[in-house]
Amino acid sequence: MSESIDTVERPGTPAGRARRVPLGRDFGKLWTAAAISNLADGVGRVAVPLIATTLTRDPLAISALSALAFLPWLVFGLPAGMIVDRFDRRWVMAIANGLRGLAAVGLAALTVTGAISIWWLFAGVLVFGLGETLFDNATNSIVPSVVQRPALDRANGWLQAAQITIDSFIAAPIGGVLFAVALALPLWVGAAGYLIPIVLAVMLPLSAARPLRAEAPTGKSAASTAEAAVAAGEPLAAADMDADVEASAEIEAPETAAPVNVSAREALVYLWRHRFLRSMVVFTSIVGCAFAFAQAPVFLYFLDVHGVAPAAIGLVTAGIGLGGLGGSLVAASLVAKFGRGKVMLGANIVAAVGLAGVWAAPEAISATIAYAVMAAAVSIWNVPWGALRQRIVPGHLFGRVLGISRTLTWGIFPFATLLGGWVARIDLRLPFLLAAGVTLVATAVAVRLLLSASTHNAPEE
């Protein structure tokens, strides 16, 4: 079943010609803020493990850094969602980046003075992760407030493309080179990179601040009803109501007060009663853990198994990122042509093949290509999965539902990562083979679930 992704049919146009819905200036601000934050994240993501390799060569200790990066999603995912639904999401993004910037400055100062230790790196990664839970949750919650329904897949594709492009082709190579120049230099650069998004975040429109439930006015024009839907936190519905209005019109919301009651129970009950969404969260947690398990020893895999020099790690991640970038750019088109369910099913099968390829790779180039295939498949999955959540979860619940789902998925990644690091002590290749097997089995069991994703397109209470 195919779905319309980024076009709408306008009444009165010749033969009902479909017109592409623009993403708009407000999405441009959000995209830029996310992109620059990804630059800071990417530089640090390369620098911290490389600094750690100067302190220890224990695969378990290195994998612990990756595990700790996800730990905040376990203990803070739901509170972050409640904060995002309760307070101005623009300021949540700003404060989260300020927190991460301070952590980067602290680690850089410790490195320069020679006081850095693996324990300080652990603490810094925890703070980075804490900021990420707030920033990413707020960013994902804002997207439906500034982008109309037909353009959600395309918007998510652009966000992911920016993340992959910057992480792999800009941040990772820069991080590797800066690390070669001076250990602390990538941390200083990363700290500076968190500043600009703070300004961009507070410049977003009021509709990005928070969604509220409100009764749509009766006996009013379609345009008035659409504005009420935006104020109610349902910009997706507003997009449909505004099908006869120019798509380039800005999404506006009247000034609103903060919600009186933002409870975790409301979101928990919603997720539990939503059979499809609940099942998808379980599936995502299983496959995601397999990926986290496989990627635990990735730096040591390339450094020790294939003899890649530390300064060249950026080139490896660039090659992997090329696959991820390609996947994110073609995902929306694939969904439009084949349907969301078929694409999500195929993406998991291809990811398993890529993991098996990394396990079997005889040298660095083939390992990078196989990893790139896996990265492309993960990107293709992420785009429709992110858009699907934004389509079916009501706006006033989105932050909390996203926080819960990521607590149940990303929150358990640390344990999978630590287990992968432990298995890597036996053989640095083995985690990739085991992860491929788990992914294939889970996908085979969930075939009907994944294919049914094409039937969910509107907010579901």
Side-chain angles (χ1 to χ4, degrees):
M1 176 179 176
S2 296
E3 299 128 16
S4 174
I5 297 305
D6 57 2
T7 60
V8 292
E9 290 190 1
R10 304 293 186 184
T13 57
R17 184 177 66 243
R19 294 181 57 185
R20 171 168 291 213
V21 177
L23 296 176
R25 290 174 295 178
D26 293 329
F27 176 76
K29 297 174 187 175
L30 182 66
W31 182 89
T32 305
I36 297 176
S37 291
N38 285 329
L39 175 62
D41 286 340
V43 170
R45 196 171 292 119
V46 172
V48 171
L50 288 177
I51 292 173
T53 61
T54 67
L55 303 173
T56 179
R57 304 295 284 191
D58 184 353
L60 186 60
I62 302 299
S63 64
L65 286 170
S66 299
L68 289 173
F70 288 108
L71 185 60
W73 286 104
L74 176 63
V75 298
F76 194 65
L78 178 54
M82 295 177 67
I83 290 171
V84 166
D85 282 347
R86 176 65 177 84
F87 298 102
D88 190 324
R89 291 167 174 173
R90 301 167 298 180
W91 282 102
V92 171
M93 292 173 63
I95 293 171
N97 261 20
L99 182 67
R100 293 191 285 184
L102 289 175
V105 168
L107 289 180
L110 288 169
T111 303
V112 168
T113 59
I116 194 68
S117 69
I118 193 68
W119 296 104
W120 279 117
L121 292 179
F122 289 161
V125 167
L126 279 173
V127 176
F128 290 141
L130 180 66
E132 183 181 39
T133 61
L134 292 167
F135 188 91
D136 285 7
N137 196 316
T139 301
N140 279 274
S141 299
I142 287 173
V143 171
S145 298
V146 297
V147 174
Q148 296 185 33
R149 183 201 300 269
L152 280 175
D153 286 279
R154 189 156 51 98
N156 282 279
W158 275 107
L159 284 171
Q160 182 158 269
Q163 178 182 354
I164 295 170
T165 302
I166 292 171
D167 279 359
S168 301
F169 303 114
I170 301 176
I174 288 178
V177 171
L178 293 178
F179 173 81
V181 174
L183 266 64
L185 191 54
L187 294 171
W188 292 118
V189 172
Y194 286 120
L195 298 179
I196 296 177
I198 294 177
V199 177
L200 292 172
V202 298
M203 290 175 61
L204 289 169
L206 184 61
S207 63
R210 65 175 69 88
L212 296 176
R213 283 177 290 190
E215 294 182 3
T218 58
K220 303 233 178 164
S221 66
S224 299
T225 305
E227 290 176 3
V230 173
E234 303 295 350
L236 304 183
D240 285 350
M241 297 172 193
D242 257 353
D244 59 340
V245 181
E246 285 299 319
S248 59
E250 291 186 301
I251 300 175
E252 298 180 354
E255 188 170 350
T256 56
V260 176
N261 181 29
V262 174
S263 69
R265 183 179 181 277
E266 183 183 15
L268 284 167
V269 170
Y270 172 83
L271 183 58
W272 177 254
R273 291 179 176 175
H274 199 301
R275 182 177 179 181
F276 169 75
L277 192 58
R278 184 181 74 236
S279 300
M280 285 294 294
V281 169
V282 172
F283 173 79
T284 304
S285 67
I286 294 172
V287 174
C289 281
F291 296 159
F293 175 86
Q295 296 177 70
V298 64
F299 277 98
L300 289 178
Y301 168 79
F302 280 102
L303 291 171
D304 294 348
V305 173
H306 295 301
V308 176
I313 284 292
L315 298 177
V316 172
T317 57
I320 295 170
L322 185 62
L325 174 62
S328 64
L329 292 178
V330 303
S333 297
L334 291 175
V335 173
K337 184 174 183 179
F338 300 107
R340 181 172 287 109
K342 291 180 180 178
V343 169
M344 295 173 80
L345 173 62
N348 281 281
I349 296 173
V350 173
V353 172
L355 287 167
V358 177
W359 165 74
E363 32 71 37
I365 294 178
S366 58
T368 302
I369 293 173
Y371 214 129
V373 170
M374 191 272 283
V378 172
S379 293
I380 291 172
W381 161 272
N382 284 339
V383 169
W385 173 225
L388 181 61
R389 287 194 304 256
Q390 292 163 349
R391 283 172 178 263
I392 66 179
V393 178
H396 64 276
L397 289 171
F398 190 86
R400 284 163 288 169
V401 171
L402 181 62
I404 294 169
S405 64
R406 287 192 168 174
T407 295
L408 299 175
T409 53
W410 293 12
I412 59 178
F413 287 0
F415 304 105
T417 302
L418 288 173
L419 183 60
W422 180 76
V423 172
R425 283 179 161 181
I426 303 170
D427 184 347
L428 287 170
R429 293 177 180 268
L430 187 56
F432 296 99
L433 179 62
L434 296 178
V438 171
T439 302
L440 278 177
V441 172
T443 302
V445 172
V447 168
R448 291 182 61 183
L449 172 69
L450 296 175
L451 292 177
S452 71
S454 294
T455 64
H456 298 269
N457 290 297
E460 301 172 358
E461 290 287 353

